[in-house]
Amino acid sequence: MRIRELAVPGAWEFTPRLHGDERGVFTESFKASEFEKAVGRPFELLQVNMSTSAAGVLRGIHYTEDPPGQAKYVTCVRGAFLDVVVDLRRDSPTFGAWDSVLLDDVDRRSVFLAEGLGHALLSLADESTVTYLCSLEYTPEFDRDLDAFDPELGIDWPAVGRDGQPLTFVRSAKDIAAPGLRTLLRP
């Protein structure tokens, strides 16, 4: 497995080795020993989520109030997503910085993001499916959102999908109404 820390400290990209033959492909998408060696701690799994999205669906930017925070290990099992990680830790020297990784059913990469980081996914193909391994069970009172189109973040969202067709962004009412980054700077 190749492991690369992203530009946002506390986030890593995991690219597994693919073992293929006439039967298909096998890969180890998560291996605790390799994870712990790279990240410096174990991953405590408390919940697994899965979502399927049409092309253009943008979920996020979501985060969990820290503490307690929620770490995630995200893998695309079908289709393709642009996975975006944003540093939302107020005391971090990279506060507001973001990085992205293409997650798809070809390279089978995964992204780990630590507590205190925000997360967004843009589906680049119809029926794209992602799984999230989560370190905290869903707790609505800790759930928070930020506007994915906040100009202060300046996220470079792609205009076309995996098939080369233009994307029409589809967001939930909650995500559309989400505040900008400056709200995190208020006392």
Side-chain angles (χ1 to χ4, degrees):
M1 183 173 293
R2 283 192 336 261
I3 302 170
R4 174 180 73 91
E5 188 166 13
L6 299 182
V8 174
W12 284 264
E13 171 190 275
F14 292 80
T15 305
R17 289 184 186 90
L18 305 177
H19 305 281
D21 59 24
E22 67 279 353
R23 299 169 298 158
V25 176
F26 172 84
T27 186
E28 295 174 341
S29 58
F30 179 86
K31 192 170 187 175
S33 60
E34 299 230 3
F35 178 88
E36 289 177 31
K37 184 177 174 184
V39 176
R41 65 176 179 143
F43 185 82
E44 183 179 6
L45 176 62
L46 294 183
Q47 183 170 322
V48 177
N49 301 328
M50 181 180 291
S51 68
T52 301
S53 301
V57 170
L58 175 56
R59 299 179 186 273
I61 299 169
H62 301 148
Y63 67 103
T64 302
E65 192 65 34
D66 190 22
Q70 182 186 61
K72 296 176 185 172
Y73 191 88
V74 184
T75 306
C76 176
V77 295
R78 181 179 181 187
F81 290 91
L82 182 69
D83 187 294
V84 175
V85 178
V86 182
D87 191 345
L88 300 178
R89 300 166 294 195
R90 291 178 190 101
D91 58 349
S92 172
T94 57
F95 176 78
W98 63 273
D99 202 352
S100 65
V101 174
L102 174 65
L103 300 182
D104 64 20
D105 56 11
V106 177
D107 294 319
R108 306 283 181 186
R109 288 181 196 92
S110 298
V111 168
F112 169 74
L113 57 141
E115 298 85 350
L117 302 179
H119 185 242
L121 284 168
L122 173 62
S123 177
L124 302 174
D126 284 335
E127 298 295 319
S128 292
T129 303
V130 67
T131 61
Y132 305 69
L133 308 181
C134 301
S135 69
L136 180 72
E137 292 181 8
Y138 175 66
T139 312
E141 60 266 26
F142 298 136
D143 194 32
R144 304 286 183 271
D145 308 289
L146 281 181
D147 182 7
F149 292 107
D150 183 346
E152 287 201 44
L153 291 171
I155 297 173
D156 187 19
W157 297 108
V160 296
R162 186 184 210 181
D163 60 2
Q165 296 300 310
L167 290 174
T168 301
F169 295 109
V170 179
R171 300 192 294 161
S172 70
K174 183 176 91 156
D175 287 348
I176 291 170
L181 185 65
R182 286 191 185 266
T183 61
L184 290 179
L185 298 174
R186 294 184 190 139

